[in-house]
Amino acid sequence: DQQVKQNSPSLSVQEGRISILNCDYTNSMFDYFLWYKKYPAEGPTFLISISSIKDKNEDGRFTVFLNKSAKHLSLHIVPSQPGDSAVYFCAASPYSGGGADGLTFGKGTHLIIQP
Amino acid sequence: SQTIHQWPATLVQPVGSPLSLECTVEGTSNPNLYWYRQAAGRGLQLLFYSVGIGQISSEVPQNLSASRPQDRQFILSSKKLLLSDSGFYLCAWSRHRGRNSPLHFGNGTRLTVT
């Protein structure tokens, strides 16, 4: 049973436009949500996170939105740049701070930025 | 600063052969260490974690084993590989397993079992 779902295996967006990556979860105990970014032949790196007490967190071009009632979060990248082409993993934790304890990952979405 | 090394980067092994993947962490002491696997079309799955030398916890039953012979060394092994062991293996570390302790991943090993 997948507790964190990323239903789009891939997404293609034109450079300069907005990229929206979606993530759904089923476990109501999840309290903290993270996005990791992964380039080919490299390990994932932390990108941005959000606590369940917030509905939005912004860091430069990256914004994460959380809709707790719908158990849905999304990552917005504006404007999209070629270097944003990567696989993006959504992850959720039942604990605040997003530590490794209890962290559950989605399958990832491969974002392709078209020039 | 802390760094994590994982090798080899790619590996092709026949079914039934043994496996040994090594991971070392520099710049920190007594880290928590993790082995994750990403199989084709699946998310990152936690295989093993270790909170100290000789202390290994397994998250899922499988054909693999892990060992931690030294504080900053974590080894993933198998005596006989199966086709289903193919995947992308990631080592990671954190300061502790609790809150406010993010995961730091190595660059991974792409294992293909033929």
Side-chain angles (χ1 to χ4, degrees):
Chain A
D1 178 36
Q2 256 199 301
Q3 297 187 64
V4 178
K5 300 177 184 178
Q6 294 177 257
N7 292 319
S8 298
S10 66
L11 175 67
S12 184
V13 175
Q14 199 168 11
E15 182 180 355
R17 301 287 184 114
I18 182 171
S19 295
I20 301 176
L21 294 94
N22 294 304
C23 178
D24 298 292
Y25 61 96
T26 57
N27 189 342
S28 59
M29 298 301 292
F30 285 145
D31 190 53
Y32 203 85
F33 304 87
L34 309 91
W35 286 94
Y36 281 80
K37 178 179 180 180
K38 182 186 175 302
Y39 291 118
E42 294 184 12
T45 55
F46 170 74
L47 184 60
I48 192 169
S49 63
I50 188 167
S51 166
S52 63
I53 62 173
K54 295 185 175 181
D55 56 17
K56 177 182 175 181
N57 187 27
E58 191 172 352
D59 183 2
R61 297 185 297 113
F62 302 91
T63 303
V64 56
F65 295 92
L66 176 63
N67 183 334
K68 282 196 72 177
S69 61
K71 294 190 176 68
H72 176 82
L73 65 154
S74 60
L75 174 68
H76 292 212
I77 307 174
V78 184
S80 300
Q81 299 175 354
D84 296 329
S85 294
V87 176
Y88 290 80
F89 290 99
C90 175
S93 169
Y95 307 113
S96 63
D101 199 3
L103 199 59
T104 302
F105 286 88
K107 292 183 181 181
T109 296
H110 185 194
L111 176 64
I112 302 164
I113 305 301
Q114 307 276 9
Chain B
S1 63
Q2 300 87 11
T3 55
I4 179 168
H5 302 280
Q6 189 181 339
W7 66 92
T10 59
L11 190 60
V12 180
Q13 292 282 100
V15 168
S17 64
L19 172 74
S20 181
L21 302 181
E22 189 163 343
C23 171
T24 59
V25 180
E26 295 178 0
T28 187
S29 59
N30 197 30
N32 281 5
L33 297 172
Y34 309 83
W35 279 110
Y36 280 85
R37 174 174 63 197
Q38 184 185 14
R42 306 190 67 175
L44 294 173
Q45 181 185 33
L46 179 63
L47 302 176
F48 300 96
Y49 70 90
S50 171
V51 299
I53 296 174
Q55 300 179 62
I56 309 294
S57 296
S58 175
E59 290 292 301
V60 294
Q62 58 202 300
N63 182 44
L64 303 167
S65 62
S67 61
R68 185 169 177 175
Q70 299 181 45
D71 180 45
R72 288 169 290 177
Q73 184 185 29
F74 205 24
I75 298 171
L76 183 70
S77 304
S78 173
K79 292 183 179 178
K80 289 185 178 181
L81 283 169
L82 306 172
L83 285 174
S84 57
D85 292 324
S86 293
F88 190 60
Y89 289 83
L90 288 158
C91 181
W93 74 273
S94 68
R95 293 199 186 281
H96 50 80
R97 199 171 180 239
R99 307 174 184 189
N100 299 311
S101 183
L103 280 169
H104 305 276
F105 288 92
N107 284 337
T109 296
R110 173 73 60 191
L111 171 65
T112 303
V113 182
T114 61

